[in-house]
């Protein structure tokens, strides 16, 4: 086809939902698109697998998920000095206890209790940095960067990272370990069918670029889903059902012992997704 006659199709991920740079192997305009949902490839955060190669070589020698999970947690404790606050440079003071708890597990559990809280802000800002997908919602719409809601989001994320033991690097490794486990559990799969319960459709941004019979929805840059449809019923009158690429799963409840309160919860990186929308 002559280039002059070709029909230009705009990216399915709007420019307002992405950053021009990120820290992984695909730009946001691709990994946040419908094309990626349909044809996913592995996502790698720059340098993490190589830098922690000894961990993953060791994990390969453990036959059970429980043993690997324990080895991973031990590695995180030692590598990030989670039990050695003085060696990590944390000075005595009123904030010592709260800073001591500001680790990857605290972020995950905080998300489970309130995704619009401080830990949720940290995780959403981490997704912005690593994958270039901008948060759309945090205790309100983030569309207006001059709004109090947006300023509170930035403040919560900054305070959540202050004086931590390389918290963003902990999250890098958590994501990479999650991907390692998913590949072992689902060696022949590229997607999982997951569900999300919502109360109002206007809480989600429906896109006009969809070319299928399904709805195309721009999700927040981080979202909770479940693998059990009956669990999704508990959270809203409308059920979103979609195919989630495995590389877009940040963590899930069975990844580590006692990780999330939801029995079938998956925390999913956002972008544009084809979804079917059903009522209960």
């Amino acid at each position: 086809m002559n280039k002059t006659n070709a029909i230009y199709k705009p990216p399915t991920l709007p420019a307002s939902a992405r950053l021009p740079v990120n820290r992984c192997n695909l730009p946001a305009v691709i990994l946040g698109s419908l094309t990626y949902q349909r044809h996913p490839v592995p996502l790698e955060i720059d340098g993490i697998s190589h830098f922690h190669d000894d961990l993953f070589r060791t994990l390969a020698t453990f036959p059970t998920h429980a043993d690997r999970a324990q080895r991973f947690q031990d590695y995180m404790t030692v590598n990030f000095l989670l039990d050695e606050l003085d060696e990590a440079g944390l000075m005595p003071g009123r904030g010592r206890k709260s800073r001591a708890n500001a680790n990857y597990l605290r972020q995950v559990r905080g998300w489970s209790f309130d995704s619009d809280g401080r830990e949720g802000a940290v995780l959403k800002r981490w997704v912005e940095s690593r994958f270039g997908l901008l948060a759309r919602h945090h205790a309100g719409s983030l569309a207006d960067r001059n709004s109090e809601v947006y300023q509170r989001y930035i403040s919560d994320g900054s305070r959540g990272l202050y004086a931590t033991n390389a918290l963003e690097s902990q999250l890098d490794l958590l994501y990479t370990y999650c991907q390692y486990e998913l590949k072992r559990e689902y060696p022949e799969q590229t997607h999982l069918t997951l569900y999300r319960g919502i109360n109002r459709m206007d809480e989600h941004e429906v896109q006009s670029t969809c070319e299928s019979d399904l709805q195309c929805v721009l999700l927040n840059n981080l979202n909770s889903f479940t693998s059990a449809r009956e669990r999704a019923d508990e959270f809203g009158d409308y059920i979103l059902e979609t195919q989630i690429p495995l590389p877009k799963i940040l963590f899930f409840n069975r990844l580590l012992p006692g990780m999330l309160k939801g029995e079938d919860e998956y925390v999913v990186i956002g972008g544009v997704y084809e979804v079917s929308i059903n009522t209960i």
Side-chain angles (χ1 to χ4, degrees):
M1 178 183 293
N2 190 306
K3 291 184 178 180
T4 59
N5 295 326
I7 299 175
Y8 171 72
K9 293 184 178 180
T12 53
L13 181 67
S16 61
R18 51 185 159 90
L19 293 171
V21 295
N22 61 18
R23 299 186 187 180
C24 74
N25 57 316
L26 287 179
V29 67
I30 294 176
L31 68 87
S33 69
L34 286 178
T35 299
Y36 184 85
Q37 185 198 10
R38 295 165 179 164
H39 309 287
V41 297
L43 297 176
E44 296 182 9
I45 299 173
D46 294 344
I48 299 302
S49 296
H50 175 75
F51 188 77
H52 297 282
D53 179 64
D54 56 334
L55 167 65
F56 293 100
R57 283 189 283 104
T58 301
L59 291 177
T61 67
F62 290 94
T64 70
H65 173 82
D67 288 339
R68 293 192 299 272
Q70 185 59 59
R71 180 69 183 92
F72 172 77
Q73 289 181 290
D74 292 343
Y75 182 90
M76 294 291 279
T77 298
V78 173
N79 192 70
F80 293 102
L81 302 174
L82 299 183
D83 289 341
E84 304 291 340
L85 303 182
D86 294 331
E87 291 187 28
L90 189 61
M91 302 299 292
R94 289 188 303 172
R96 182 182 177 89
K97 183 177 180 180
S98 62
R99 293 299 88 197
N101 291 330
N103 56 48
Y104 70 105
L105 287 173
R106 175 64 176 268
Q107 306 311 303
V108 169
R109 290 164 182 159
W111 169 274
S112 186
F113 284 108
D114 181 10
S115 61
D116 286 331
R118 181 182 297 183
E119 291 84 3
V122 169
L123 288 168
K124 291 169 188 173
R125 293 196 67 188
W126 175 83
V127 172
E128 290 183 341
S129 169
R130 271 45 181 180
F131 300 100
L133 300 176
L134 292 171
R136 313 296 294 172
H137 187 280
H138 186 80
S141 173
L142 299 177
D144 181 1
R145 294 202 167 197
N146 294 315
S147 68
E148 290 186 10
V149 173
Y150 184 81
Q151 296 307 315
R152 190 182 313 118
Y153 164 64
I154 296 298
S155 176
D156 283 351
S158 298
R159 286 189 295 145
L161 287 173
Y162 175 71
T164 59
N165 297 2
L167 182 54
E168 289 182 306
S169 295
Q170 294 179 42
L171 297 174
D172 292 344
L173 194 49
L174 175 65
Y175 169 77
T176 306
Y177 170 65
C178 177
Q179 291 302 304
Y180 174 85
E181 285 296 326
L182 287 171
K183 289 175 184 176
R184 292 192 66 143
E185 186 171 353
Y186 304 104
E188 303 300 324
Q189 290 183 224
T190 58
H191 297 76
L192 291 180
T193 301
L194 299 180
Y195 307 88
R196 177 174 170 83
I198 60 174
N199 283 315
R200 295 169 49 190
M201 276 309 302
D202 59 6
E203 295 174 351
H204 290 68
E205 300 175 63
V206 178
Q207 305 297 290
S208 61
T209 51
C210 204
E211 298 176 353
S212 71
D213 293 332
L214 301 174
Q215 296 277 0
C216 290
V217 175
L218 173 57
L219 296 177
N220 204 1
N221 71 343
L222 201 61
N223 313 268
S224 287
F225 278 78
T226 177
S227 58
R229 192 188 189 285
E230 60 272 18
R231 287 282 297 162
D233 291 348
E234 300 173 11
F235 296 95
D237 298 329
Y238 296 92
I239 307 299
L240 304 186
E241 176 182 343
T242 189
Q243 296 294 306
I244 300 293
L246 294 180
K248 281 201 167 181
I249 297 174
L250 172 53
F251 51 82
F252 57 99
N253 69 301
R254 292 178 291 103
L255 184 62
L256 296 171
M259 193 165 194
L260 295 171
K261 62 180 181 181
E263 294 182 359
D264 304 288
E265 186 174 356
Y266 288 76
V267 177
V268 171
I269 296 165
V272 180
Y273 285 84
E274 289 179 318
V275 305
S276 63
I277 302 173
N278 303 291
T279 55
I280 295 177

